[in-house]
Amino acid sequence: MKALDMRHWAANWKPDEAWTGMAAVSRRDLAVLFAGAELRAWVDRIDRHFVGKGEMPLVPNHHHCRFGAWLDVQGPARAHDWPSLQAIEPLHREVHVLGQAVCEHRASGRISAGLEHLTELHRRRDELTCRLKTLRREMRRGPRSDPLAGPGSLKTGGIERRSLRHGF
């Protein structure tokens, strides 16, 4: 596009209808969104390597990938607010173990065993992707406990009632 056409284009541009109903992405969702994208890309690299179309991808320890580092910090601190973290951590570790096994089987020529692990890796990747979506929903809902609710307030079913001595 020519620079002279830019003003006209910007004045008349409209987003695709598929985008207009989308909710805005919160900054705190980014780690989980990136985790899902990196997981899919990593498994794709393992797939390509297994069929001889790519180099062996780096298979880091589950604590050393970007999501693992985030999980190590957020997991203990937010387990109460985000219950899905309890299922995500062992699943995340298993995905790394399976990825390593697939690459080791390929390197040693055990293709049949590698295919079994690759199938399981795909299944676990899909399960982890679903759990990451659940985690994002939990994150959007906010904390389960209200740090502002102190003495004199009762929390019942998400509705707060303050005693009269503290006002409404």
Side-chain angles (χ1 to χ4, degrees), residues 71 75 79-80 82-91 93 131 138:
L71 197 56
H80 175 72
W82 305 330
S84 62
L85 285 176
Q86 292 175 354
I88 286 174
E89 197 282 327
L91 186 56
R93 181 178 3 151
R131 297 217 183 246
E138 291 173 356

Side-chain angles (χ1 to χ4, degrees), residues 20 54 96 110 117 150 152 154 163 166:
T20 58
H96 278 267
R110 295 177 298 190
H117 280 94
L154 301 171
S163 66
H166 291 288

Side-chain angles (χ1 to χ4, degrees), residues 127-143:
E127 184 180 348
L128 184 54
T129 299
C130 287
R131 297 217 183 246
L132 290 173
K133 288 178 185 177
T134 300
L135 175 60
R136 283 190 56 222
R137 283 193 301 273
E138 291 173 356
M139 292 170 72
R140 275 186 251 134
R141 277 189 290 235

Side-chain angles (χ1 to χ4, degrees), residues 25-85:
V25 176
S26 167
R27 266 181 133 357
R28 69 180 180 178
D29 283 353
L30 292 179
V32 178
L33 287 170
F34 289 153
E38 289 173 355
L39 170 67
R40 287 186 299 277
W42 181 69
V43 172
D44 286 348
R45 285 192 304 275
I46 291 173
D47 286 343
R48 285 193 309 275
H49 171 67
F50 191 77
V51 297
K53 294 185 179 178
E55 294 183 27
M56 183 170 141
L58 178 64
V59 185
N61 173 292
H62 68 283
H63 294 287
H64 297 133
C65 73
R66 216 178 329 205
F67 181 65
W70 179 86
L71 197 56
D72 287 343
V73 171
Q74 293 297 324
R78 302 308 298 257
H80 175 72
D81 294 328
W82 305 330
S84 62
L85 285 176

Side-chain angles (χ1 to χ4, degrees), residues 110-124:
R110 295 177 298 190
I111 303 305
S112 178
L115 277 173
E116 287 178 26
H117 280 94
L118 190 60
T119 300
E120 185 64 15
L121 175 62
H122 288 169
R123 195 171 77 68
R124 294 300 190 181

